[in-house]
Amino acid sequence: MGNGSNSFKNEGNFASPPCMAAEVDPGYFDPLTVDPEQERDVARWRTAERKRLREARRTLSSSQRKATGEALMAGLKKLFAGHSAGAGDGVAAFYWPIKDEPDLRPLMTEMHASGRRIALPLVETRAAPLVFRLWTPETRMERGHWNIPVPPRDAPEVMPDVVLAPLMGWDSEGYRLGYGGGYFDRTLAALSPRPFSIGVGLAAAQLPTIYPQPHDIPMDVILTERGTEVGG
Ligand SMILES: Nc1nc2c(c(=O)[nH]1)N(C=O)[C@@H](CNc1ccc(C(=O)N[C@@H](CCC(=O)O)C(=O)O)cc1)CN2
Ligand SMILES: Nc1ncnc2c1ncn2[C@@H]1O[C@H](COP(=O)(O)OP(=O)(O)OP(=O)(O)O)[C@@H](O)[C@H]1O
């Protein structure tokens, strides 16, 4: 603290000045303010919900899956058309579907053909923000962390303007439940400017709340096969 500043002087009975880090950097959260017992309960509940939602998604028929993917792609086109983040030759980050996630690859190909740059996320360092690399229909995909297909290391690294985040679960506040790696939260906390984030998943994956924790960052939009559920 600089000399002459007395704004954080200890007053009352506190042993230390109040933590102002969150005011300086909204991505910062103070682990000491999180109740470890409550954090453990939430983590356990999330693990059980992920399992339940994963099972529900697995039981969809192939025609339901196809219809869902098509409805989501139509919804995305509408969103991109109405938002500045969807204009020009900016970078849109998609995902390569795993574990019965909606398949949006036809839209990746279509947008690439119309001049849009398309990227995919990679876990290059564990427990760190994701890296995004350009994808084209010619890209020879490799197996990355968790066996997820990813562009090779020589594909250019880019900063996305829009990020699509597949979701296992979502709530009406725009919070997203993923696979439990915390990767999208870390990525959104690290990127400046923060990209426009669109959570993509099934309407049936709605939860009353995900019990948001200090590290959880809400999506700007939640899109399901029914249309835009949150934001937009
Ligand atoms: N198709 C697709 N690609 C994607 C994502 C996604 O959700 N879908 N991701 C979205 O973020 C990132 C990868 N997400 C991951 C999330 C969790 C774990 C993982 O190792 N999970 C552990 C449990 C969590 C832990 O304790 O670290 C595990 O299941 O063993 C790996 C990758 C980037 N690519
Ligand atoms: N910004 C962050 N900094 C440090 N740790 C973080 C951050 N964001 C999330 N984490 C850690 O990641 C763990 C998993 O988070 P969470 O349950 O929100 O994952 P998720 O959103 O379902 O996963 P993913 O985005 O990978 O699909 C949490 O225990 C949390 O401590």
Side-chain angles (χ1 to χ4, degrees):
M1 196 158 309
N3 286 338
S5 162
N6 64 1
S7 56
F8 298 141
K9 213 169 59 181
N10 288 343
E11 286 163 22
N13 299 321
F14 296 108
S16 62
C19 177
M20 303 297 284
E23 320 270 303
V24 179
D25 173 5
Y28 180 88
F29 62 89
D30 179 0
L32 294 178
T33 64
V34 180
D35 172 2
E37 204 170 313
Q38 184 240 5
E39 196 187 13
R40 200 169 354 103
D41 288 348
V42 170
R44 226 178 260 151
W45 176 85
R46 285 186 181 185
T47 301
E49 282 301 293
R50 284 188 185 102
K51 204 162 164 231
R52 181 182 69 79
L53 292 162
R54 175 86 184 85
E55 267 321 295
R57 191 164 76 187
R58 206 203 300 271
T59 62
L60 288 188
S61 69
S62 62
S63 62
Q64 280 172 316
R65 234 181 266 294
K66 193 159 174 279
T68 302
E70 276 163 10
L72 285 167
M73 289 191 277
L76 281 169
K77 280 197 221 181
K78 244 196 249 173
L79 268 176
F80 285 139
H83 197 280
S84 60
D89 65 350
V91 178
F94 277 69
Y95 59 87
W96 198 267
I98 56 166
K99 299 177 185 286
D100 307 314
E101 287 167 343
D103 187 357
L104 309 177
R105 287 176 294 179
L107 184 58
M108 289 165 58
T109 303
E110 188 183 318
M111 285 173 61
H112 172 267
S114 63
R116 196 65 200 226
R117 284 181 295 160
I118 306 296
L120 287 169
L122 295 90
V123 176
E124 289 194 349
T125 309
R126 287 186 87 134
L130 296 164
V131 166
F132 295 89
R133 293 190 184 277
L134 281 185
W135 172 90
T136 76
E138 285 73 45
T139 300
R140 296 165 68 105
M141 302 293 278
E142 295 179 350
R143 293 276 166 184
H145 177 65
W146 236 36
N147 243 354
I148 301 175
V150 291
R153 285 255 175 183
D154 61 3
E157 185 177 342
V158 287
M159 291 281 261
D161 303 288
V162 185
V163 172
L164 303 190
L167 32 90
M168 288 296 321
W170 59 277
D171 71 18
S172 62
E173 308 256 83
Y175 286 105
R176 159 186 179 276
L177 195 64
Y179 292 121
Y183 284 105
F184 271 110
D185 291 318
R186 277 194 207 90
T187 306
L188 293 176
L191 289 184
S192 177
R194 193 177 280 182
F196 188 73
S197 58
I198 306 175
V200 177
L202 299 177
Q206 182 171 14
L207 299 164
T209 175
I210 70 150
Y211 299 102
Q213 301 296 295
H215 68 264
D216 288 312
I217 298 177
M219 300 282 112
D220 292 308
V221 169
I222 300 278
L223 182 75
T224 73
E225 73 277 17
R226 290 195 299 227
T228 298
E229 307 271 3
V230 180

